[in-house]
Amino acid sequence: MTESFLLLKTLLLSTSQRNAFKYTTDKKKKRRVIGNIVGMSILYLCIMAYSIAICIGYGMTGNIEAAPIMCALVLSVLAFFFTIFKTNGYLFNFREYDMLMSLPFSTKSVAACKFLYMYVKSLPWTISISVAMMIGYGIYAKPAVYIYFVWVILGFFIPIIPMLFASFLGFIIARISAGFRKTNIIQTVLVFVFVILVFASRFIIEGIFKNGQVKQALTDISQATGNAADVYFPAKWFADAVTGKNILWALALIAVSIVLFTVVFIIVGRSYRNINSALKSHAAAKKYKMTAQKKRSVVTAVAYKEFKRMTGSTTYMTNAALGEILAVILGLATVIIGFERIVRLVTRNAPFDPTILRPAIPFLIYFFIGMVATTACSPSLEGKNYWIVQSLPIEKKNLYQGKMLFNILLTVPFMAFSTICMCIGAQVPILESVLYVVLGIVLCAFSTTWGCVCGIKHIRLDWENEVEVIKKGAAVAIYLLPNMFVGMGVIVLSVFLGMKLDHNLLALIMIGVVSLLALLSYARVLALSRKEK
């Protein structure tokens, strides 16, 4: 543990924004650090406000005792999903692997250090939710003073068990994929399969337990959280400790977290070198033949380079392609099950005509496909090799056009296919379906150009791990959050306007508005590329 904490301290210092702000003489970097801190602070405040609102809802309905369980479950779920997508980038196949393994530290210490680094980087999310829900719980429950200390201390331990579970799953996936030639592809497929199964688990459980009593429990949030705590013991231990029922459960949670941490990294340490060596090696085809090199335009060559960059990184691929996979699943489900049945399932047979949701079809698909644009992180992914790009005899405009072309080629086929499937399932007329497909393509263009604006404006080249820019970069956050919330608002707006206007006319208006936004964003990309010269 001493070795792990020493490595952790060094890693945190080398990636600290505080250090970057303190020692850099570049004013742009200082402004970028301040902007990142302000932006993330606003995000954490929004999360805290939402968490307090949940507790107020519990308090007003007389169910405030469910708040600690909900807090534990939310922290656990977030920790699990944040970790499962970051394991490959943090624990395995990371860039500084050769340097770390050359130091006189055990492999277990290196692996534990990377896990602790992942844990520390997620602490702001954990603290925001935990402290906010503690405040909400305190307003209504008015517990003893020592309960606040217990809550704060246990709040640091709640995420550890789900993170260890996710890390161990990532270890198993990496161990399996290390036995194949195409390690990144196999690893990506296994992650996708696991995530889709998790998303589908709610419907699988409901399909298994069809009696009225269980169904009622699933619809009752308070009872559902209580049932979840009976299955997931750490949530129950946390709740019993902070409600004063049994303070010994606090010690149990701490002890189990420490024991599991030790056991997991003893197991991981034994295969750590082998897995990383396999993931970082590249297989060569036995029957490879040298052939004539294909001639491509600069823009096409950059797009192809971006494709190879994505397929060579599990983290990049799972982040960039997950939305497309979910969109295709939604489209196919609509064709097989039917649009009306899916709407009734989601709304639990609410009494309204499902046809009023037709204008929202392109935006529903875009909610998944526009979740992440590769252009938001691809400028930063050049990293410390950016000097090579600077030295190439190509214009910055062509570089960013190539990156945008790749995102268009990635998103448009999925968008068109999913939209057509949903239109078939919803029995949308042909002309209206064509307009929805066109609207979907225009949305992809807007997503691409707006993502590129964010990627250039908030480019970060001093990263040590690609996870820092693919999943946690300021450019991705600034692209994702407004895009997601505005997208949800536009879905509601399109349904509302669809009840007032002809659907074809509404689609044409939306195409015009989104096209204008895409053109403005593209013009901004060109302007930013000229400034970089």
Side-chain angles (χ1 to χ4, degrees), residues 173 176-192 314:
I173 291 172
I176 294 171
S177 60
F180 294 86
R181 287 179 57 199
K182 301 291 185 180
T183 55
N184 283 318
I185 302 297
I186 298 298
Q187 198 170 7
T188 302
V189 170
L190 290 173
V191 172
F192 276 146
T314 301

PDB file of all heavy atoms in Angstrom, residues 173 176-192 314:
ATOM      1  N   ILE A 173     -12.616  -9.437 -18.857  1.00  0.00           N
ATOM      2  CA  ILE A 173     -12.771  -9.127 -20.286  1.00  0.00           C
ATOM      3  C   ILE A 173     -11.405  -8.977 -20.947  1.00  0.00           C
ATOM      4  O   ILE A 173     -11.159  -9.491 -22.043  1.00  0.00           O
ATOM      5  CB  ILE A 173     -13.617  -7.848 -20.466  1.00  0.00           C
ATOM      6  CG1 ILE A 173     -15.074  -8.118 -20.053  1.00  0.00           C
ATOM      7  CG2 ILE A 173     -13.561  -7.350 -21.900  1.00  0.00           C
ATOM      8  CD1 ILE A 173     -15.937  -6.871 -20.009  1.00  0.00           C
ATOM      9  N   ILE A 176      -9.740 -12.412 -21.259  1.00  0.00           N
ATOM     10  CA  ILE A 176     -10.295 -13.211 -22.367  1.00  0.00           C
ATOM     11  C   ILE A 176      -9.803 -12.674 -23.704  1.00  0.00           C
ATOM     12  O   ILE A 176      -9.351 -13.432 -24.567  1.00  0.00           O
ATOM     13  CB  ILE A 176     -11.839 -13.203 -22.316  1.00  0.00           C
ATOM     14  CG1 ILE A 176     -12.329 -13.931 -21.053  1.00  0.00           C
ATOM     15  CG2 ILE A 176     -12.425 -13.856 -23.565  1.00  0.00           C
ATOM     16  CD1 ILE A 176     -13.817 -13.791 -20.819  1.00  0.00           C
ATOM     17  N   SER A 177      -9.896 -11.350 -23.881  1.00  0.00           N
ATOM     18  CA  SER A 177      -9.533 -10.762 -25.172  1.00  0.00           C
ATOM     19  C   SER A 177      -8.043 -10.862 -25.443  1.00  0.00           C
ATOM     20  O   SER A 177      -7.615 -10.840 -26.594  1.00  0.00           O
ATOM     21  CB  SER A 177      -9.971  -9.300 -25.218  1.00  0.00           C
ATOM     22  OG  SER A 177      -9.342  -8.552 -24.203  1.00  0.00           O
ATOM     23  N   ALA A 178      -7.215 -10.981 -24.386  1.00  0.00           N
ATOM     24  CA  ALA A 178      -5.767 -11.082 -24.577  1.00  0.00           C
ATOM     25  C   ALA A 178      -5.376 -12.355 -25.302  1.00  0.00           C
ATOM     26  O   ALA A 178      -4.271 -12.442 -25.849  1.00  0.00           O
ATOM     27  CB  ALA A 178      -5.055 -11.010 -23.223  1.00  0.00           C
ATOM     28  N   GLY A 179      -6.262 -13.336 -25.342  1.00  0.00           N
ATOM     29  CA  GLY A 179      -5.965 -14.583 -26.032  1.00  0.00           C
ATOM     30  C   GLY A 179      -6.264 -14.558 -27.513  1.00  0.00           C
ATOM     31  O   GLY A 179      -6.047 -15.557 -28.202  1.00  0.00           O
ATOM     32  N   PHE A 180      -6.774 -13.425 -28.024  1.00  0.00           N
ATOM     33  CA  PHE A 180      -7.116 -13.317 -29.436  1.00  0.00           C
ATOM     34  C   PHE A 180      -6.160 -12.355 -30.141  1.00  0.00           C
ATOM     35  O   PHE A 180      -5.530 -11.508 -29.520  1.00  0.00           O
ATOM     36  CB  PHE A 180      -8.557 -12.806 -29.602  1.00  0.00           C
ATOM     37  CG  PHE A 180      -9.595 -13.765 -29.089  1.00  0.00           C
ATOM     38  CD1 PHE A 180      -9.960 -13.759 -27.749  1.00  0.00           C
ATOM     39  CD2 PHE A 180     -10.193 -14.672 -29.938  1.00  0.00           C
ATOM     40  CE1 PHE A 180     -10.910 -14.632 -27.268  1.00  0.00           C
ATOM     41  CE2 PHE A 180     -11.156 -15.550 -29.466  1.00  0.00           C
ATOM     42  CZ  PHE A 180     -11.513 -15.534 -28.135  1.00  0.00           C
ATOM     43  N   ARG A 181      -6.091 -12.483 -31.447  1.00  0.00           N
ATOM     44  CA  ARG A 181      -5.215 -11.602 -32.228  1.00  0.00           C
ATOM     45  C   ARG A 181      -5.748 -10.169 -32.209  1.00  0.00           C
ATOM     46  O   ARG A 181      -5.009  -9.232 -32.006  1.00  0.00           O
ATOM     47  CB  ARG A 181      -5.120 -12.104 -33.671  1.00  0.00           C
ATOM     48  CG  ARG A 181      -4.283 -13.362 -33.854  1.00  0.00           C
ATOM     49  CD  ARG A 181      -4.263 -13.794 -35.300  1.00  0.00           C
ATOM     50  NE  ARG A 181      -3.752 -12.719 -36.145  1.00  0.00           N
ATOM     51  CZ  ARG A 181      -3.956 -12.656 -37.461  1.00  0.00           C
ATOM     52  NH1 ARG A 181      -4.699 -13.575 -38.060  1.00  0.00           N
ATOM     53  NH2 ARG A 181      -3.450 -11.665 -38.161  1.00  0.00           N
ATOM     54  N   LYS A 182      -7.042 -10.004 -32.460  1.00  0.00           N
ATOM     55  CA  LYS A 182      -7.649  -8.669 -32.486  1.00  0.00           C
ATOM     56  C   LYS A 182      -8.136  -8.327 -31.075  1.00  0.00           C
ATOM     57  O   LYS A 182      -9.335  -8.349 -30.780  1.00  0.00           O
ATOM     58  CB  LYS A 182      -8.809  -8.634 -33.482  1.00  0.00           C
ATOM     59  CG  LYS A 182      -8.415  -8.971 -34.912  1.00  0.00           C
ATOM     60  CD  LYS A 182      -7.551  -7.872 -35.522  1.00  0.00           C
ATOM     61  CE  LYS A 182      -7.256  -8.129 -36.988  1.00  0.00           C
ATOM     62  NZ  LYS A 182      -6.426  -7.076 -37.595  1.00  0.00           N
ATOM     63  N   THR A 183      -7.206  -8.020 -30.208  1.00  0.00           N
ATOM     64  CA  THR A 183      -7.553  -7.844 -28.797  1.00  0.00           C
ATOM     65  C   THR A 183      -8.525  -6.693 -28.576  1.00  0.00           C
ATOM     66  O   THR A 183      -9.479  -6.821 -27.807  1.00  0.00           O
ATOM     67  CB  THR A 183      -6.276  -7.588 -27.978  1.00  0.00           C
ATOM     68  OG1 THR A 183      -5.574  -6.482 -28.548  1.00  0.00           O
ATOM     69  CG2 THR A 183      -5.377  -8.809 -27.981  1.00  0.00           C
ATOM     70  N   ASN A 184      -8.303  -5.546 -29.254  1.00  0.00           N
ATOM     71  CA  ASN A 184      -9.172  -4.388 -29.039  1.00  0.00           C
ATOM     72  C   ASN A 184     -10.594  -4.653 -29.501  1.00  0.00           C
ATOM     73  O   ASN A 184     -11.560  -4.260 -28.850  1.00  0.00           O
ATOM     74  CB  ASN A 184      -8.610  -3.160 -29.777  1.00  0.00           C
ATOM     75  CG  ASN A 184      -7.432  -2.548 -29.048  1.00  0.00           C
ATOM     76  OD1 ASN A 184      -7.450  -2.432 -27.835  1.00  0.00           O
ATOM     77  ND2 ASN A 184      -6.400  -2.178 -29.781  1.00  0.00           N
ATOM     78  N   ILE A 185     -10.724  -5.333 -30.645  1.00  0.00           N
ATOM     79  CA  ILE A 185     -12.061  -5.625 -31.175  1.00  0.00           C
ATOM     80  C   ILE A 185     -12.799  -6.572 -30.239  1.00  0.00           C
ATOM     81  O   ILE A 185     -13.971  -6.345 -29.900  1.00  0.00           O
ATOM     82  CB  ILE A 185     -11.967  -6.240 -32.582  1.00  0.00           C
ATOM     83  CG1 ILE A 185     -11.225  -5.292 -33.533  1.00  0.00           C
ATOM     84  CG2 ILE A 185     -13.350  -6.565 -33.117  1.00  0.00           C
ATOM     85  CD1 ILE A 185     -11.913  -3.973 -33.741  1.00  0.00           C
ATOM     86  N   ILE A 186     -12.138  -7.633 -29.809  1.00  0.00           N
ATOM     87  CA  ILE A 186     -12.774  -8.606 -28.911  1.00  0.00           C
ATOM     88  C   ILE A 186     -13.159  -7.935 -27.602  1.00  0.00           C
ATOM     89  O   ILE A 186     -14.272  -8.130 -27.075  1.00  0.00           O
ATOM     90  CB  ILE A 186     -11.825  -9.794 -28.640  1.00  0.00           C
ATOM     91  CG1 ILE A 186     -11.510 -10.537 -29.951  1.00  0.00           C
ATOM     92  CG2 ILE A 186     -12.438 -10.755 -27.625  1.00  0.00           C
ATOM     93  CD1 ILE A 186     -12.732 -11.146 -30.619  1.00  0.00           C
ATOM     94  N   GLN A 187     -12.272  -7.121 -27.072  1.00  0.00           N
ATOM     95  CA  GLN A 187     -12.537  -6.442 -25.805  1.00  0.00           C
ATOM     96  C   GLN A 187     -13.733  -5.494 -25.947  1.00  0.00           C
ATOM     97  O   GLN A 187     -14.602  -5.428 -25.070  1.00  0.00           O
ATOM     98  CB  GLN A 187     -11.298  -5.662 -25.375  1.00  0.00           C
ATOM     99  CG  GLN A 187     -11.285  -5.285 -23.903  1.00  0.00           C
ATOM    100  CD  GLN A 187      -9.940  -4.738 -23.485  1.00  0.00           C
ATOM    101  OE1 GLN A 187      -9.058  -4.522 -24.303  1.00  0.00           O
ATOM    102  NE2 GLN A 187      -9.775  -4.504 -22.205  1.00  0.00           N
ATOM    103  N   THR A 188     -13.797  -4.781 -27.055  1.00  0.00           N
ATOM    104  CA  THR A 188     -14.915  -3.864 -27.299  1.00  0.00           C
ATOM    105  C   THR A 188     -16.231  -4.611 -27.402  1.00  0.00           C
ATOM    106  O   THR A 188     -17.250  -4.201 -26.823  1.00  0.00           O
ATOM    107  CB  THR A 188     -14.666  -3.065 -28.590  1.00  0.00           C
ATOM    108  OG1 THR A 188     -13.435  -2.357 -28.481  1.00  0.00           O
ATOM    109  CG2 THR A 188     -15.786  -2.070 -28.835  1.00  0.00           C
ATOM    110  N   VAL A 189     -16.223  -5.721 -28.137  1.00  0.00           N
ATOM    111  CA  VAL A 189     -17.445  -6.522 -28.299  1.00  0.00           C
ATOM    112  C   VAL A 189     -17.928  -7.036 -26.945  1.00  0.00           C
ATOM    113  O   VAL A 189     -19.130  -6.985 -26.636  1.00  0.00           O
ATOM    114  CB  VAL A 189     -17.201  -7.691 -29.274  1.00  0.00           C
ATOM    115  CG1 VAL A 189     -18.379  -8.665 -29.254  1.00  0.00           C
ATOM    116  CG2 VAL A 189     -16.978  -7.165 -30.683  1.00  0.00           C
ATOM    117  N   LEU A 190     -17.023  -7.534 -26.124  1.00  0.00           N
ATOM    118  CA  LEU A 190     -17.408  -8.051 -24.811  1.00  0.00           C
ATOM    119  C   LEU A 190     -17.995  -6.951 -23.926  1.00  0.00           C
ATOM    120  O   LEU A 190     -18.989  -7.173 -23.219  1.00  0.00           O
ATOM    121  CB  LEU A 190     -16.186  -8.675 -24.125  1.00  0.00           C
ATOM    122  CG  LEU A 190     -15.670  -9.988 -24.731  1.00  0.00           C
ATOM    123  CD1 LEU A 190     -14.361 -10.400 -24.074  1.00  0.00           C
ATOM    124  CD2 LEU A 190     -16.706 -11.097 -24.601  1.00  0.00           C
ATOM    125  N   VAL A 191     -17.406  -5.750 -23.973  1.00  0.00           N
ATOM    126  CA  VAL A 191     -17.950  -4.631 -23.192  1.00  0.00           C
ATOM    127  C   VAL A 191     -19.337  -4.267 -23.683  1.00  0.00           C
ATOM    128  O   VAL A 191     -20.256  -4.044 -22.893  1.00  0.00           O
ATOM    129  CB  VAL A 191     -16.998  -3.412 -23.267  1.00  0.00           C
ATOM    130  CG1 VAL A 191     -17.664  -2.189 -22.630  1.00  0.00           C
ATOM    131  CG2 VAL A 191     -15.694  -3.715 -22.549  1.00  0.00           C
ATOM    132  N   PHE A 192     -19.515  -4.196 -25.014  1.00  0.00           N
ATOM    133  CA  PHE A 192     -20.825  -3.868 -25.577  1.00  0.00           C
ATOM    134  C   PHE A 192     -21.880  -4.894 -25.150  1.00  0.00           C
ATOM    135  O   PHE A 192     -22.998  -4.539 -24.768  1.00  0.00           O
ATOM    136  CB  PHE A 192     -20.757  -3.821 -27.102  1.00  0.00           C
ATOM    137  CG  PHE A 192     -20.280  -2.508 -27.647  1.00  0.00           C
ATOM    138  CD1 PHE A 192     -19.519  -2.450 -28.797  1.00  0.00           C
ATOM    139  CD2 PHE A 192     -20.591  -1.319 -27.011  1.00  0.00           C
ATOM    140  CE1 PHE A 192     -19.078  -1.242 -29.305  1.00  0.00           C
ATOM    141  CE2 PHE A 192     -20.153  -0.100 -27.502  1.00  0.00           C
ATOM    142  CZ  PHE A 192     -19.398  -0.061 -28.654  1.00  0.00           C
ATOM    143  N   THR A 314     -10.019   0.519 -27.335  1.00  0.00           N
ATOM    144  CA  THR A 314     -11.293   0.053 -26.779  1.00  0.00           C
ATOM    145  C   THR A 314     -12.060   1.197 -26.127  1.00  0.00           C
ATOM    146  O   THR A 314     -13.277   1.318 -26.280  1.00  0.00           O
ATOM    147  CB  THR A 314     -11.038  -1.060 -25.748  1.00  0.00           C
ATOM    148  OG1 THR A 314     -10.351  -2.136 -26.378  1.00  0.00           O
ATOM    149  CG2 THR A 314     -12.346  -1.569 -25.163  1.00  0.00           C
TER     150      THR A 314
END
